[in-house]
Amino acid sequence: MDSLTLARIQFGFTISFHIVFPALTIGLASYLAVLEGLWLRTGRKVYIDLYQFWIKVFAVAFGMGVVSGLVMAYQFGTNWSNFSRFAGGVTGPLLAYEVLTAFFLEAGFLGVMLFGRDRVGPGLHFVSTLAVAIGTLISATWILASNSWMQTPQGHEIIDGRVVPVDWLRVIFNPSFPYRLAHTVVASYIATALMVGGAAAWHLLRGHDNTRVRTMLSMALWMLLAAAPIQALIGDQHGLNTMEHQPAKLAAIEGHWERTPEGEGVPLILFGWPDMAAETTRYAIEIPRAGSLLLAHSWDGQIPALKDFPPEDRPNSTIVFWTFRLMVGLGVLMIALAFWGLWLRRRERVFSNRLFLRFALLLSPAGLVAILAGWYTTEIGRQPWVVYGLMRTADAVSPQHSASQVGFTLALFVLVYLAVFGAGTAYGLRLIAKGPPDDDHEPPEAPVHGGPGEPRHPMRPLSAAREGVDAEGDLAAPEAGHGH
C-alpha cells in the first residue's frame, strides 16, 4: 500500500478509538448533572450514590478521550500537512476556539467535580458538574463545525491556493452543521443510555436487585424512549440535507447506479452488494418506490445516481452501503428495546423479564457501534474529497513520507493503542461490574455545607455523635471515623 492509503488507515484507526470516549463523556456528563440535580431537589441518597458510581467511569473515559485527542491534532501536521496548509485558515481557529472555550471550561471545573464534593458546598459542586457537561457540548459544537465545513464548505475564498475565511458565521453555520451536531449529540446520549441500561441489566441478571440498579435501568429506558425516535427524525432530515449538498454520498449509501424513468419511482435497496467495477448492485432486494418515499418524500421522486458522477468522483459504495445499514439496523433495535421496556413497565415486569434484560445487555455497546458506523459512512462517503469539492484527499497527504515510514508508525499506534486503551477499557468495565452500593436501608443523605475549602464534617466534637441514650442513661459514643 502507498503512503496515502496507510495515512488514511492510520487516521481512521486513531479516530475510531478517539470518538468513542468523547461520546461517552458527553452523555455521562449530562447524566451526572441530572443525577446531582435530582439529589439536590429530592435529597434521595440513591441519586448521589449513582453519581459517585458513574463519575469514576466518566473520569476514565474523559482521560482516555484527552489522550487520544492529542494524537489526532498531531496527525494534521505530520501526515496531512498539505491539508493543513490549504485549510488551516478555517480549521485551525475552530480547533483553537474549542480549546479556549470548552477545554478550559472543562479543565477548570473538572477537579472540583471529581474531588471537591467534600470540600465545597453542594450548590457549587453542582455548578461544577453543569460546567463540565456544558463544556463537553461546546467542544462537540466546535469540532462538528470544523468537520461539517469540510463536508459542506462555505463562507470562504481561495487566495493564493489557500482557504481564507471571509464570513465566520457562514463558516460555522454551514449547511450540514445543525443536522450533524444534533445527530452526534443525540447519538452520544443514546450510547450512554444503552451502556447504563446494559450495566443495570447485567446486575439484575446476576441477582443484584436493589433501588440503585433499578433506578439506573429506569432512567436509561426513559432516555432511550425519548431520544431514539427523535434520532430517526434527525437522521431523515440529515439525509435530505445530504441529498442536496453531497448527492454522490447519498447515491453511494443507497447503492443506486442509474436514474429510474420519470413516474416510476425509485426502489429502496434493503440488501445487496454494490460492485464498483461492474457499476451495479448485485443480489439486490428491493422495495418498489420506497426509495422515493423515504429519500424524496414523494411517490415518484428522483434521487441522485452514481453514474451521474465520473468514476473518480464516486465514493466507495461497497463500504458505505453496509455501514449505513448497520447504523440504521441498530437504531431500529434501539427503538424496539425502548418500546418493549415501556410495555413491560406498564405491566411492572421491566426489572424481572430475563429475556428483556438479556436483550438490553446485548445492545449495551450498540450505541457506540452505531456511532462508528455512522462516522465511517460520513467520512468514507465524502471521498475522494477531504474538503468537499475543493481539495482531494490525494492532494492533502504529506508528500515527504514514504510508505514504510507511515506503515511503521501505524504499527506502533496499533500496539500502543491496544495496550493503553485496552487496559483503560478493561478498568472501566471492572468499575461497572463492581456496581453501585446495594444497601437499600441507608438513611437519606441531605446536602450539607462545610467551610470554604474544608471537608463538610461537623465543626463541633459532639455534633458527630449519634443521638440516643444507652441502657445506662449515658450519651451514645461518637461515630467513629470523624477524627474527633
Side-chain angles (χ1 to χ4, degrees):
M1 289 186 277
D2 57 13
S3 59
L4 170 62
T5 304
L6 290 169
R8 290 181 61 190
I9 293 174
Q10 184 179 114
F11 197 88
F13 175 80
T14 52
I15 204 170
S16 296
F17 275 83
H18 173 66
I19 195 174
V20 167
F21 302 117
L24 289 179
T25 56
I26 290 171
L28 282 175
S30 296
Y31 180 50
L32 291 170
V34 170
L35 287 173
E36 191 167 19
L38 289 172
W39 172 63
L40 290 172
R41 181 179 177 85
T42 66
R44 293 187 59 196
K45 193 170 184 296
V46 60
Y47 294 122
I48 199 63
D49 284 344
L50 289 178
Y51 181 95
Q52 291 295 96
F53 171 63
W54 282 107
I55 197 173
K56 301 173 185 176
V57 181
F58 169 81
V60 173
F62 188 92
M64 291 195 291
V66 171
V67 172
S68 58
L70 292 174
V71 176
M72 306 302 304
Y74 279 113
Q75 285 188 80
F76 286 120
T78 55
N79 290 358
W80 303 97
S81 59
N82 282 347
F83 164 76
S84 298
R85 187 179 300 110
F86 174 76
V90 168
T91 59
L94 291 177
L95 296 178
Y97 298 156
E98 190 258 344
V99 173
L100 291 173
T101 56
F103 191 75
F104 281 4
L105 181 65
E106 293 171 296
F109 286 94
L110 183 64
V112 179
M113 177 185 174
L114 294 178
F115 309 111
R117 200 171 79 86
D118 293 331
R119 296 190 175 275
V120 301
L124 179 56
H125 191 269
F126 179 55
V127 169
S128 300
T129 304
L130 278 178
V132 173
I134 294 171
T136 61
L137 295 174
I138 295 175
S139 178
T141 299
W142 289 119
I143 296 299
L144 266 297
S146 176
N147 186 268
S148 298
W149 178 84
M150 295 165 62
Q151 303 278 347
T152 53
Q154 68 172 19
H156 65 275
E157 293 181 0
I158 298 179
I159 301 175
D160 296 331
R162 298 189 181 191
V163 171
V164 177
V166 296
D167 187 340
W168 275 110
L169 288 178
R170 295 187 67 228
V171 168
I172 295 170
F173 297 99
N174 56 80
S176 64
F177 168 72
Y179 307 99
R180 291 166 54 78
L181 177 63
H183 204 53
T184 302
V185 171
V186 174
S188 299
Y189 287 157
I190 292 174
T192 303
L194 287 169
M195 184 182 69
V196 173
W202 188 83
H203 285 287
L204 288 170
L205 288 170
R206 292 175 61 87
H208 302 160
D209 190 349
N210 58 63
T211 304
R212 291 152 187 81
V213 172
R214 288 187 171 214
T215 302
M216 284 165 50
L217 182 59
S218 179
M219 294 180 72
L221 290 177
W222 283 125
M223 171 55 75
L224 195 62
L225 183 64
I230 291 175
Q231 183 74 317
L233 296 177
I234 296 172
D236 176 70
Q237 295 302 307
H238 192 187
L240 295 177
N241 178 266
T242 302
M243 182 168 65
E244 179 181 357
H245 296 281
Q246 294 179 293
K249 177 190 291 187
L250 183 72
I253 288 172
E254 297 304 319
H256 183 56
W257 288 92
E258 297 181 357
R259 289 186 178 266
T260 56
E262 291 291 338
E264 290 188 8
V266 180
L268 176 68
I269 302 177
L270 290 178
F271 303 103
W273 189 261
D275 188 329
M276 297 299 293
E279 297 185 339
T280 187
T281 298
R282 302 183 184 276
Y283 321 114
I285 300 176
E286 302 177 344
I287 301 178
R289 294 188 181 271
S292 294
L293 291 173
L294 288 176
L295 301 170
H297 292 186
S298 67
W299 181 248
D300 55 0
Q302 293 293 313
I303 68 172
L306 280 169
K307 288 187 178 179
D308 294 345
F309 309 93
E312 64 273 13
D313 290 345
R314 299 171 188 168
N316 191 322
S317 179
T318 309
I319 297 177
V320 298
F321 181 89
W322 283 105
T323 55
F324 178 79
R325 276 150 185 77
L326 175 61
M327 177 185 67
V328 172
L330 291 175
V332 171
L333 293 178
M334 295 170 198
I335 295 175
L337 176 67
F339 281 96
W340 189 7
L342 179 64
W343 184 77
L344 291 174
R345 192 192 295 270
R346 294 169 65 95
R347 287 157 178 77
E348 299 183 354
R349 295 173 52 202
V350 70
F351 304 114
S352 58
N353 189 301
R354 297 186 68 84
L355 182 60
F356 171 77
L357 295 175
R358 290 192 183 98
F359 186 43
L361 178 60
L362 182 65
L363 282 187
S364 57
L368 298 176
V369 175
I371 288 174
L372 287 173
W375 193 260
Y376 295 153
T377 302
T378 295
E379 297 304 304
I380 298 175
R382 180 180 57 189
Q383 299 303 315
W385 305 98
V386 65
V387 181
Y388 197 80
L390 299 180
M391 186 182 202
R392 291 181 177 270
T393 306
D395 298 326
V397 71
S398 299
Q400 64 271 24
H401 296 324
S402 65
S404 59
Q405 291 173 322
V406 181
F408 177 72
T409 57
L410 173 60
L412 288 180
F413 273 123
V414 171
L415 293 175
V416 173
Y417 269 52
L418 291 180
V420 173
F421 297 112
T425 302
Y427 179 66
L429 291 175
R430 285 181 59 188
L431 291 174
I432 294 174
K434 185 178 179 181
D438 59 1
D439 187 354
D440 283 341
H441 305 292
E442 296 183 47
E445 177 180 322
V448 294
H449 298 270
E454 297 295 331
R456 293 188 288 109
H457 288 168
M459 297 301 177
R460 293 172 294 165
L462 289 182
S463 64
R466 292 186 178 141
E467 295 182 2
V469 180
D470 62 13
E472 303 295 329
D474 298 326
L475 286 173
E479 185 177 359
H482 285 273
H484 298 303

